[in-house]
Amino acid sequence: LLNSIGANTYMRLPLVANSKNTSQILEPIAQIAWGKRKAAVVYIDESLNTEFDMGNLLSISRYSTSDQFETGFHGAYGLRYKYQTTNNIQGGISLGQVLRSEQKRSFTSSSGLGTKKSDIFVAAELDLPHKSYLSFQGLLGDMFEAKKTDFNAGFEYKGVHLNTKYSYLQSDYREYRSNPIEEWTMAAGYKINNTWELTSNLRYDETESHLAMLGAGLSYENQCVLLNLEMDRRYSLEGTSPPTTNFSFAISLKGFSTGSVNAIQSKNCK
């Protein structure tokens, strides 16, 4: 039986500024917390991979599950800023850091929470017309070195859409990751008309400095059926499996599933 007690006090002070064309929110955040758990023999297997973000900045315990509990005095501070215009342009930035009275070696290095002063979590986003967007989130160390990074960008304009992503995750033996992971992914498409669409995708392994995956597809969709032809080439090794090329062809009949509907067709299937 796990007996845990604690107290959590936090403050959020949203400051709002509105004008004719814009709306802005600035929100300082602060927390003071304390926790204690009675000594017990617990098999720790679920909370090894703990993520630190704005969602658990004000939590009394930031472990992902209850097999571990954050004890002692700790606090946090942060700041949120959001900006929105009447032209559908909006963005924001958030940052936060945890302070504690003693180190918590039960947190992994990649979590950013093991030291007295945690890594700084930073997140930013920007939404623009034509479904264009930029987003970033990551953990920055004392020297502003990146431990985790996730960057996304994309747009959609006149039938063309493009989505890109960059990810970096440092090596961490306690998370069974002996090498860092760093890669780029891209997904693009062109809608030829109301029924035909071309797609492509790739994944580039920055750590190994080579292309890991390349694919392309052609799809046809009307009010009755969805046809999808895809080809992908995997260049990287997976265990003892050599690089391979895969082809796939799928037919989906509409009206027999609970899947989403992309658009309302003007005609009925007869």
Side-chain angles (χ1 to χ4, degrees):
L1 180 63
L2 301 179
N3 296 321
S4 306
I5 61 173
N8 189 9
T9 302
Y10 60 87
M11 178 198 72
R12 306 176 68 166
L13 183 64
L15 306 173
V16 182
N18 294 319
S19 64
K20 182 178 179 181
N21 298 318
T22 63
S23 176
Q24 301 179 70
I25 300 177
L26 180 66
E27 184 181 30
I29 302 170
Q31 179 217 34
I32 298 177
W34 172 83
K36 183 177 181 181
R37 166 172 284 185
K38 183 180 179 181
V41 178
V42 181
Y43 182 72
I44 300 172
D45 61 342
E46 297 182 359
S47 62
L48 294 177
N49 299 335
T50 297
E51 299 286 341
F52 171 43
D53 54 28
M54 295 302 289
N56 60 9
L57 177 67
L58 302 180
S59 298
I60 192 171
S61 178
R62 296 172 185 86
Y63 290 105
S64 55
T65 58
S66 61
D67 56 0
Q68 295 192 81
F69 188 76
E70 205 165 341
T71 59
F73 285 97
H74 57 92
Y77 70 92
L79 187 70
R80 297 177 189 262
Y81 173 75
K82 288 190 175 183
Y83 176 88
Q84 185 172 2
T85 71
T86 55
N87 297 325
N88 293 325
I89 298 176
Q90 58 182 356
I93 184 169
S94 304
L95 59 88
Q97 186 177 35
V98 175
L99 308 174
R100 64 180 76 255
S101 59
E102 58 185 17
Q103 289 186 346
K104 291 297 178 184
R105 301 187 182 277
S106 51
F107 285 111
T108 64
S109 175
S110 296
S111 70
L113 292 168
T115 57
K116 289 184 178 181
K117 294 174 62 176
S118 76
D119 294 337
I120 300 174
F121 175 81
V122 180
E125 59 182 357
L126 178 64
D127 294 325
L128 300 169
H130 305 300
K131 296 184 179 180
S132 303
Y133 66 92
L134 295 168
S135 69
F136 167 85
Q137 65 176 9
L139 290 177
L140 303 179
D142 292 337
M143 304 301 294
F144 297 99
E145 73 279 9
K147 291 187 175 181
K148 290 182 181 180
T149 301
D150 190 89
F151 173 79
N152 295 269
F155 75 91
E156 182 176 339
Y157 181 68
K158 291 186 177 179
V160 178
H161 62 86
L162 173 67
N163 297 282
T164 60
K165 180 178 181 179
Y166 168 79
S167 301
Y168 172 77
L169 187 59
Q170 71 169 19
S171 60
D172 195 327
Y173 286 96
R174 292 183 60 191
E175 294 185 2
Y176 308 103
R177 188 172 55 256
S178 57
N179 297 310
I181 298 174
E182 185 177 10
E183 65 179 25
W184 289 87
T185 60
M186 185 188 74
Y190 173 65
K191 198 166 184 62
I192 303 172
N193 51 40
N194 291 333
T195 55
W196 290 95
E197 183 177 9
L198 288 170
T199 59
S200 64
N201 64 85
L202 66 84
R203 180 166 58 89
Y204 182 82
D205 191 330
E206 192 75 35
T207 306
E208 300 291 338
S209 299
H210 69 76
L211 192 64
M213 179 80 74
L214 180 65
L218 175 66
S219 64
Y220 172 84
E221 182 178 11
N222 62 16
Q223 61 271 24
C224 301
V225 67
L226 171 62
L227 307 178
N228 196 17
L229 174 64
E230 292 183 344
M231 181 276 293
D232 63 77
R233 169 70 176 174
R234 178 172 56 81
Y235 294 90
S236 59
L237 297 174
E238 290 187 359
T240 59
S241 177
T244 59
T245 301
N246 298 313
F247 295 89
S248 65
F249 179 68
I251 302 176
S252 301
L253 299 177
K254 294 189 175 181
F256 295 94
S257 71
T258 58
S260 60
V261 178
N262 295 329
I264 299 176
Q265 299 286 346
S266 59
K267 298 180 181 179
N268 294 323
C269 183
K270 296 181 180 179

